[in-house]
Amino acid sequence: YLIGNGFSEIFTNSITNSAYYGEEVLQSSVKMINSLSAELNIMRPSMMETGLESVAYNLNRKNSDLLFFEFGKTYHSSEENKYTEQQHLSLYLTGNTTAANWKHKGEKADFYFIKGVVDKISKLLGVTVNVFMSAGADKLSGAVVAKVKNDVIAELGCISKKRLANFDI
């Protein structure tokens, strides 16, 4: 569905830089014993930062109309030698969702586009989202969560300006 609608799949490294995260997140992160470098020293506790690295890489090369998706895992540690992995689907949008041509202007990526994509994916999976509601999130501005019963199945929003500045976006 995603590729058929113009998205491109990205694959990012599960090992990332601990400097991207605050102390609270680092307390439950999975640290590398023999890290490859000083920058790659933990297993990612969030998919956002590695995805933003890909977005920044493309923006620095004048490729600003991006529709990316990634299937991947996040890693957490609740206590010593107890680890959990959680599967995620992350979507990243910037610029136009459709290219400009002689007949139409390009359409900008916005919240309603991504909400429609999340709604369609949930329908394809046979899940009925019964609530889209506002939520507070430190990494997202204008955050909204999609719920099925009382379970949050998706978080949507714009990346905060502070977070974007960390990646020179």
Side-chain angles (χ1 to χ4, degrees):
Y1 170 79
L2 291 169
I3 289 174
N5 283 288
F7 282 80
S8 299
E9 187 169 12
I10 60 172
F11 298 95
T12 61
N13 198 345
S14 294
I15 304 170
T16 190
N17 191 342
S18 62
Y20 293 150
Y21 306 96
E23 192 60 40
E24 186 178 319
V25 173
L26 291 175
Q27 288 177 356
S28 64
S29 67
V30 178
K31 290 146 186 81
M32 301 293 295
I33 295 172
N34 295 321
S35 60
L36 299 172
S37 69
E39 291 82 32
L40 300 174
N41 54 359
I42 64 169
M43 299 296 288
R44 67 178 168 207
S46 165
M47 299 274 293
M48 182 186 298
E49 290 73 16
T50 54
L52 287 176
E53 287 175 344
S54 293
V55 170
Y57 179 88
N58 279 272
L59 291 175
N60 288 333
R61 283 150 185 83
K62 307 292 184 216
N63 186 11
S64 60
D65 296 337
L66 305 173
L67 298 172
F68 285 162
F69 74 94
E70 178 181 23
F71 289 100
K73 293 182 180 179
T74 58
Y75 305 88
H76 305 280
S77 173
S78 55
E79 56 187 75
E80 194 167 328
N81 296 327
K82 292 256 184 176
Y83 305 104
T84 58
E85 299 177 10
Q86 189 173 13
Q87 188 73 33
H88 297 274
L89 166 62
S90 294
L91 305 172
Y92 307 93
L93 291 77
T94 185
N96 292 328
T97 57
T98 57
N101 60 39
W102 67 273
K103 193 173 182 180
H104 299 286
K105 291 182 179 179
E107 293 181 30
K108 295 268 186 211
D110 63 3
F111 172 78
Y112 298 103
F113 178 82
I114 194 67
K115 182 181 178 282
V117 171
V118 170
D119 197 37
K120 182 63 177 177
I121 290 171
S122 64
K123 285 179 182 171
L124 288 171
L125 295 173
V127 176
T128 303
V129 175
N130 56 4
V131 176
F132 279 99
M133 60 186 288
S134 297
D138 61 337
K139 296 178 184 181
L140 298 174
S141 62
V144 171
V145 295
K147 288 188 172 185
V148 174
K149 297 182 183 172
N150 289 329
D151 298 324
V152 174
I153 64 162
E155 292 181 21
L156 300 85
C158 297
I159 308 292
S160 69
K161 292 183 185 223
K162 181 181 175 185
R163 187 54 112 191
L164 292 175
N166 292 345
F167 293 89
D168 294 325
I169 299 175

